[in-house]
Amino acid sequence: MGAAKVVTDATFTADVLNSDKPVIVDFWAEWCHPCRKVDSMFTELAGTELADKVSFVKIDIDSNPKVTATYQVMSVPTVTIFKGGQPVSSITGARPKGDLIRMIESAL
């Protein structure tokens, strides 16, 4: 199985905004119980053929306030797809895996 890459305020531009392929970002926090559900789905999806088409990354909102503020993440989990350096789609809350898959496929 694959794993999502961990990004930070310092690496966000290089890993997400400058990526050649769409990037799905999981904004999460250690204290967030629903984030754990999203994390397990993220890990599972990162091990599928979708990982050939999109990059899966995670960013801890408490440790990375700059990116969190820039993209106005007010609650977690929030999953946002970036394409060409811009956010194109976002969902908040723990949603079914099918919702994540549809969101990813709509950005391809």
Side-chain angles (χ1 to χ4, degrees):
M1 290 303 247
K5 180 177 184 173
V6 174
V7 297
T8 64
D9 281 348
T11 63
F12 193 84
T13 297
D15 290 337
V16 177
L17 303 182
N18 294 340
S19 176
D20 292 337
K21 60 184 179 179
V23 181
I24 183 165
V25 181
D26 176 17
F27 291 92
W28 69 283
E30 189 68 43
W31 46 263
C32 167
H33 293 289
C35 292
R36 294 181 187 143
K37 180 179 178 186
V38 171
D39 181 54
S40 66
M41 286 188 286
F42 235 63
T43 301
E44 182 181 335
L45 291 173
T48 69
E49 67 280 350
L50 284 173
D52 295 335
K53 300 174 186 167
V54 298
S55 297
F56 290 83
V57 303
K58 300 173 59 61
I59 187 163
D60 180 345
I61 65 163
D62 293 328
S63 302
N64 299 284
K66 183 179 165 210
V67 169
T68 302
T70 298
Y71 294 99
Q72 300 176 350
V73 176
M74 300 296 183
S75 48
V76 287
T78 293
V79 176
T80 303
I81 293 187
F82 287 79
K83 190 172 184 180
Q86 296 296 317
V88 295
S89 183
S90 189
I91 56 174
T92 301
R95 304 284 271 285
K97 184 169 59 173
D99 288 0
L100 281 177
I101 293 169
R102 280 188 291 282
M103 186 172 114
I104 294 166
E105 289 174 343
S106 72
L108 297 177

